[in-house]
Amino acid sequence: MELVQNRNQRKYLSRFRTGSHQLRVETGRWTFPKTKYEDRTCIYCDSGHVDTELHCITQCKLTETDRNIFYTNLCQLDNRFHLLNNEQKMAYILCPTNALRIKLSNNFLKLLVKARSQVDQEKNI
């Protein structure tokens, strides 16, 4: 995180790395009684997966199109990216090592959060 001098570029990376987000894996801890881990499933897709950072970043169908574009951009920077498994991709995204990867990763995470917020707003209408 020392590489990320721009506060705006650090915001979403920091939130995902520290668990300061609205994913159900976290919000389920806030309920009383706590929601069972296996019941903290993603409400944005029909996968049935627990809504973890890994699911949100690498698997959730809600942002599949944005993720594919993002992955294409990362592959142009590092042609080995497509060889990584989902856990390695998440680490690659959350621990960027240069300015361009920082910017791309933060923008992608920002898109994820905004897409989810938009769905939440539509459900409340």
Side-chain angles (χ1 to χ4, degrees):
M1 294 306 292
E2 292 173 0
L3 290 174
V4 190
Q5 299 299 316
N6 183 325
R7 268 182 79 193
N8 293 327
Q9 290 182 352
R10 189 172 51 228
K11 181 178 178 181
Y12 293 97
L13 283 167
S14 296
R15 286 183 181 176
F16 273 84
R17 288 182 62 169
T18 62
S20 300
H21 47 61
Q22 297 294 314
L23 301 182
R24 294 199 67 214
V25 70
E26 290 297 326
T27 61
R29 294 179 183 157
W30 307 340
T31 60
F32 184 79
K34 290 182 181 180
T35 304
K36 292 180 187 175
Y37 180 82
E38 60 272 8
D39 292 337
R40 301 177 197 176
T41 57
C42 181
I43 60 173
Y44 302 98
C45 70
D46 59 359
S47 68
H49 290 121
V50 173
D51 192 24
T52 62
E53 294 86 351
L54 180 67
H55 170 74
C56 179
I57 293 171
T58 65
Q59 301 165 337
C60 187
K61 299 290 184 195
L62 175 66
T63 53
E64 186 172 29
T65 301
D66 291 325
R67 181 173 39 259
N68 289 338
I69 293 167
F70 174 59
Y71 281 8
T72 299
N73 290 333
L74 288 181
C75 285
Q76 290 174 353
L77 293 175
D78 183 348
N79 60 5
R80 297 169 295 160
F81 179 78
H82 73 282
L83 299 173
L84 303 176
N85 65 35
N86 284 342
E87 290 85 5
Q88 292 167 326
K89 286 178 181 176
M90 186 179 74
Y92 188 95
I93 292 164
L94 294 180
C95 303
T97 57
N98 65 49
L100 185 53
R101 276 182 46 197
I102 290 166
K103 185 175 182 177
L104 289 172
S105 293
N106 189 68
N107 286 341
F108 174 64
L109 296 173
K110 184 177 180 179
L111 280 172
L112 297 181
V113 170
K114 287 189 176 203
R116 287 168 167 244
S117 292
Q118 185 175 352
V119 170
D120 292 343
Q121 287 175 354
E122 291 171 0
K123 287 182 178 181
N124 288 332
I125 294 177

